[in-house]
Amino acid sequence: MPALDIPFFGTLVLCLILISASYTMAIAIGAGQGRPQLLPSARWGTYATCALVLVAVCVLAYAFQVHDFRIRYVARYSDRSMPWWYLISSLWGGQDGSLLWWAFLLSGYTFFATRWLRGRHTELQPWIFATLMSILIFFVILMLFAANPFATYIRTTPGDGEGLNPLLQNYWMAIHPPSLYMGFVGWSVPFAILIAALITGRLGNEWVRAARLWSMIAWTFLSLGLLLGCLWSYEELGWGGYWAWDPVENASFLPWLVGTAYLHSVLIQERRHMMRVWNVFLLALTFFLTIFGTFLTRSGLIASVHSFARSDIGQYFVWYMAFLIIGIAALIIWRLPKLKAENEIESLMSREFAFLLNNWVLLGMMMFVLIATTFPLLSQWIRGEEVTVGPGFYNKWMAPIGIVLLFLAGLGPLIAWRKATGSKLLRAMAFPIGVGVSVAVLQSLFGARLGYPPLVEPTEIYDTTTGTVLAWISAVAPLVSFATCAFVLASVGQEFWRGMRVRMRKGENAATALLRLTSKGRRRYGGYIVHVGVVFMYIGFTGAAYDTEKESALRPGETMSIGQYTVRYDQPRMEADPNKRMIFTDMTLLDDSGNEDGRVAPAKFIYRTHPQMPTTEVAIRSRPAEDVYVIMSTVDPSTRRGTFRVIIRPLVAWIWFGGIVLLLGAIIGMWPTGRELLREEVARPKRLRFSPATAVVAVAIVVATMMAWAGVASAQNDSSSSLHAGSVVINDPVERQLFGRLLCQCGDCARLPLDTCACGWADDKRVEIREALAAGEKPTKIQESYRAQYGAKALAIPSDKGLDRALWAVPLASMVFAVGFIVLMGRRWQRRGVEAHTAATAASGTAQLEYDSRLDEELDRLEES
């Protein structure tokens, strides 16, 4: 395209976007201040701005396809050997392009939201447009002044590019980042609706109903993005896990936790006109955390395999977040009189209070993850000492809290609205509790024979009392987790059966009753299906307690045994394509009878543009009971001797299956009902009809299908890894836990724990530590010596000394405070609710009692229909 200067044209389009968005925001504000005749201009300005963003993305995509290496971003994240689909995924492979991709997705949401708003919520429209344009303006300013994706080299233009990071040259990267971004960006629309409601003072249920669909869309895509991220980590990073509590993973998890709390809490506002301030806070916080997560990812303040390089855009985010905090707080304080609740919690034994407990647990998890993620930065700023907070610390706390949250998911459907009598609650809980106890008893009696013993023996290597207590809690966590999963499944199943039974009495068969029940109450039963998906995922998470692994060096024809399998190394082979060389090692799995049980071929890829970053392709044989996860570390080309790591991971497949069920439930929950479609048909002219639910549901189904197909069809993995040439076998549980707490300090690798790092330094250090253990030295003493020698950053789990002690004490103190606060406030709300009820009864006498009785009966009928 010699007639067009792509870098200049791209930058020009960014400037036009800034001008158009600013104009649209100004016109929209004018329309909201009493000049409704400006609203059509604001709408068309929104369309024009969205079109300009589309042009900018197309220009950058075209620059990648024609290899315009004058653009620095194109040169850094592509090369001439890359196929066209990786050139497309390069759009979001780096910081500059990901900001443009964010703006593009925001423009897409804005376009569809603008179409959806035609004919509805007229008073809110101007401020919705203005808010969305303000968000877009911020990201365009970032690109123009700090991270321009069209910036060029000042001097020499390279003949070829550096190529996309090998970690990103994987099919998951074609769907994982867009899905995650769709979730992050999607919260902008409900946030804009909230801001419009606060400004206009229309703070009834109108804004809640307007934001409902868009909140579900954002939550669904964010859930999908997190699930695909787990898959990418499991197959791509080659360490054997799916969630490492990496800071960038945590940044994505934070808004999901708060968004989940909002979706539960808003049900109370819709039904009982309560908790209005709380819901405003939750939705605003969810959006804020999407911006905060983007800041963490792109500021370079934290080290992560997912994060971008350190840059100057962090200061822009700091100012923007400060503006958001001040602006949102001012609006909420201004509108507090209009946010007053119409009702109070009348009983601690009510669904409202159970939902409030659910919210507090989710917010507690969010605060814990936030503090643990940012603690290394706080330590660096306060005392100048770097600290590492590794996965072990998160797991010890989050596992028991997660089980409590799961229990509440099963308890909520069993409790009536307003108030529940003890007898009714006991009758409702009898069957689920019986199922949960039965599973616990069965596991205690037969679990060990099946490979799932009820107790996991803890190892005494903690230097904190809290850590030791948590270790013993972790020992019984698998038993409690399986029992809780059974309790929740029985609770949800009982709710479905109650509804089906009513319909079956009218002559419907079981299948028809189930379909019509779900169709009539899509939001309610879709939520139950989401809970079932979460249960399946918890089953997969619990399986991690029974992982076994072994490492060994083999020559062709030799075998290694692990669990009930024997793994035979057959031969190495080499293949090549224009982009890379591939070294495969063919291996055969044999069962305990010596029969062939499958074939795997882990590999090592050496990319032409990154020969210093050989990547590891894991091989996974996945079945419902367990995954066999095989990693090839090295192969000696002269002797063909290979070093392998094999991990048996029970129940992992249930995580992916549960994720699909979760997505299915979310789709059912957001799908418009016949009544909503009829209302749409009657209320709006044909040319203006638009329901985004169907389109978004179709996209979600396509992406979920791609995920399921890809998971079955391929078990590839790329990971930059530190290689070692020796044989390492870690069979002793004390060794494994101790090595998991000590980080490699060689200076060349990614500071992985010694139980996974395979560099030569880690190999020598393991030998040294084994000798110390054999000499009778206690693990806690070895850990203290390691910290004294290499500093606090060398420990994956902080010690109980100095400022580090706060990281152990704060969660415990927060839990105690939260429980006391909830009980205190719950009793206060209950007392006020009872007083209001008594006053109303005294004023209206028998009529009020009859009304309350009819209301309770109607609520019971709604629960069963």
Side-chain angles (χ1 to χ4, degrees), residues 534-545:
V534 171
V535 169
F536 289 144
M537 296 180 74
Y538 264 79
I539 291 173
F541 297 150
T542 306

Side-chain angles (χ1 to χ4, degrees), residues 376 378-387 787 791-793 804:
L378 297 175
S379 176
Q380 183 71 32
W381 292 339
I382 293 174
R383 60 179 180 179
E385 184 176 11
E386 187 176 354
V387 174
R787 185 184 190 275
K793 65 180 181 180
D804 296 349

